[in-house]
Amino acid sequence: MDLEGFSKQVGLELDEFKYVTALIGMFPLAYVHRKMTNTEAKHWYSLITGFCLAWFMFGVQSLHYLVSSTLVMVMLRTLPPKNSPWIILGCLLAHLSYGHIYRQYWFYLEFGLDWTLPQMLIVVKLSNFSWSYHDGQLPAEELDRPERGEKKIVQFPSLLHYYSFVFFFPGFLTGPMTEFNHYMAFTERRTFADNGGKIPESWVSCLKKLSLCVGAYFANSLHKQYPDLYTTTDAFLEHSFLYRLAYIAFVCEIGTFKYYFAFSMGEIACNICGISYNGKDKNGNYLWDKILMMRLWEFKTTQNAKGLVAHWNVPTSIWLRQSIFMRIIKLVNNRSMAVFGTFFASAFWHGFYPGYYTFFISGALFEVCADKLKLNLRHYVVDEQGNSKPIKPVYDFLGWFLTYCTITYMTISFRLLAFTYAIAAWRSIYFVGHVIGISILVTFTLFPQRPPRAKKTN
């Protein structure tokens, strides 16, 4: 039986079957890497294995990764260091945008796995690399943040080290991505100096993540029974308002299981090879969170939008904050322009479906609403010395509940992709999120609840 026929037997499309197979295949490959002792051999192993996995998934399209990484290397070696990271970011996003536009034009609203998925991760990885090399050419006193000093690359690496970093296989298909200096420290076993140079056992952490993978894999199958597009139909409108709210919340929740699966599979491979090692906690337990894609518990229990961003797709969040937002702030000293530039980069990074843009624009609206609520209400639950009042737990619960409802309300747009579909889904629940958000803005703009001023003392 051919590969396509077998994939149908197990209920998956061919690209999905190959993807799952590649993710599972990373586990023994990562274990081999863990057992290797020769540093140069590990570099060769990372490069060859990563490229072979890419070729297995995408065939000749894998050359996109070679082209983009080579282009970045040439630009870093030839362009003035001052401007090269911005030029590189523009070229990387242009290359990625070509893939997004091609797929959107020829396969509109069709789900499929193509070369743009790892390319999105390579954009983050190489953009960070270009800034690290840029910082490495500056005097130490010009590095205004500690992480810039930690990540700086003073001398351009050899071709082997550079390409093995680009194609490092445990995080190549799904993430997590790491910085070049950490990759080198890991490969040379300097990361494990506090453990005698030996990689600690990580099977407990791996089993925990594997249980999440298994549960997420089977839970994701529920999505076929509860399709997103049902929210755009006339039949959906025949149900009660509460049913429609609950259905949208449910399909958005089960729609995230595929991300739990993919993210966790990448994290397991990184744990197996050891690159996620992050020392020990105060009780002497090994930590495996040096690089990771998500902090699921924190993401689900956060009380504000900042927590949502910080704990989901963590490497991309760090990239947007450190390599885009903070760099623009330093360049133009204007927060509004930095916010816009970061939004622009994030939007281009995701693609060009209108649903992405309605998602981000709505997110900006709700973030402003959250700031308004905090400014006008927090002084009722926390006194001037920062001590919590008895009503603070209620405030915290409402913060979590509103944050959860908001991200769910926004996510249906991200999932449906088409503008007309997103509007239809929101219309079915009377745009309740936007109505509440705009009402909050208008109310607290017209009737601000200012915190009481402290009394002056002589």
Side-chain angles (χ1 to χ4, degrees), residues 245-445:
L245 279 176
Y247 186 92
I248 288 176
F250 182 70
V251 297
C252 289
E253 190 65 39
I254 62 176
T256 58
F257 283 118
K258 66 180 181 182
Y259 298 107
Y260 300 165
F261 173 79
F263 288 174
S264 297
M265 291 290 278
E267 289 178 0
I268 292 172
C270 288
N271 284 10
I272 292 174
C273 72
I275 196 170
S276 297
Y277 178 67
N278 198 23
K280 301 176 182 179
D281 63 15
K282 60 182 180 180
N283 298 318
N285 300 314
Y286 294 119
L287 298 173
W288 297 95
D289 57 358
K290 181 67 176 180
I291 58 170
L292 73 174
M293 287 300 290
M294 63 178 178
R295 302 180 187 94
L296 186 55
W297 176 255
E298 290 82 354
F299 177 76
K300 287 298 184 182
T301 58
T302 186
Q303 300 170 18
N304 51 59
K306 184 178 180 180
L308 291 175
V309 173
H311 301 305
W312 181 258
N313 201 348
V314 175
T316 304
S317 175
I318 295 174
W319 168 63
L320 289 171
R321 183 176 72 252
Q322 296 183 357
S323 294
I324 307 295
F325 181 80
M326 297 302 297
R327 302 287 180 168
I328 298 177
I329 281 280
K330 186 174 178 62
L331 187 67
V332 301
N333 195 29
N334 186 301
R335 180 178 174 82
S336 297
M337 290 184 65
V339 170
F340 176 80
T342 305
F343 166 80
F344 184 80
S346 180
F348 262 64
W349 186 77
H350 280 90
F352 298 97
Y353 278 111
Y356 295 147
Y357 293 84
T358 52
F359 173 88
F360 285 118
I361 293 171
S362 298
L365 167 67
F366 295 133
E367 185 171 356
V368 173
C369 293
D371 290 341
K372 280 283 186 183
L373 285 172
K374 183 177 181 179
L375 177 64
N376 286 273
L377 299 180
R378 187 169 176 80
H379 62 276
Y380 290 116
V381 298
V382 177
D383 63 23
E384 296 175 6
Q385 288 73 40
N387 300 315
S388 299
K389 298 180 182 180
I391 200 174
K392 180 65 162 47
V394 177
Y395 175 87
D396 292 339
F397 173 79
L398 290 176
W400 165 80
F401 181 74
L402 289 175
T403 300
Y404 177 80
C405 291
T406 299
I407 189 62
T408 301
Y409 176 82
M410 292 165 48
T411 299
I412 193 64
S413 166
F414 194 95
R415 295 192 56 76
L416 290 171
L417 299 178
F419 180 77
T420 53
Y421 289 166
I423 296 301
W426 280 337
R427 185 188 298 121
S428 72
I429 50 176
Y430 311 117
F431 296 95
V432 60
H434 290 91
V435 170
I436 293 175
I438 294 172
S439 299
I440 290 172
L441 287 179
V442 172
T443 299
F444 289 114
T445 300

Side-chain angles (χ1 to χ4, degrees), residues 173-295:
L173 295 177
T174 66
M177 303 80 79
T178 187
E179 299 286 344
F180 178 78
N181 285 348
H182 177 61
Y183 166 74
M184 290 298 295
F186 155 73
T187 306
E188 296 168 1
R189 296 288 178 95
R190 288 182 279 116
T191 304
F192 312 103
D194 64 343
N195 199 53
K198 297 180 180 179
I199 305 176
E201 293 297 331
S202 57
W203 62 270
V204 174
S205 175
C206 291
L207 287 177
K208 290 179 180 178
K209 294 181 184 297
L210 185 61
S211 63
L212 175 60
C213 287
V214 174
Y217 180 84
F218 288 105
N220 185 59
S221 63
L222 291 172
H223 205 66
K224 296 179 180 178
Q225 303 174 40
Y226 302 95
D228 299 329
L229 282 176
Y230 183 57
T231 63
T232 68
T233 64
D234 292 335
F236 186 63
L237 298 176
E238 296 176 1
H239 297 284
S240 68
F241 174 69
L242 290 178
Y243 176 90
R244 297 195 297 261
L245 279 176
Y247 186 92
I248 288 176
F250 182 70
V251 297
C252 289
E253 190 65 39
I254 62 176
T256 58
F257 283 118
K258 66 180 181 182
Y259 298 107
Y260 300 165
F261 173 79
F263 288 174
S264 297
M265 291 290 278
E267 289 178 0
I268 292 172
C270 288
N271 284 10
I272 292 174
C273 72
I275 196 170
S276 297
Y277 178 67
N278 198 23
K280 301 176 182 179
D281 63 15
K282 60 182 180 180
N283 298 318
N285 300 314
Y286 294 119
L287 298 173
W288 297 95
D289 57 358
K290 181 67 176 180
I291 58 170
L292 73 174
M293 287 300 290
M294 63 178 178
R295 302 180 187 94

Side-chain angles (χ1 to χ4, degrees), residues 43-60:
H43 283 299
W44 280 108
Y45 181 76
S46 296
L47 169 59
I48 295 171
T49 304
F51 188 79
C52 287
L53 281 174
W55 193 273
F56 170 73
M57 279 296 305
F58 310 112
V60 71

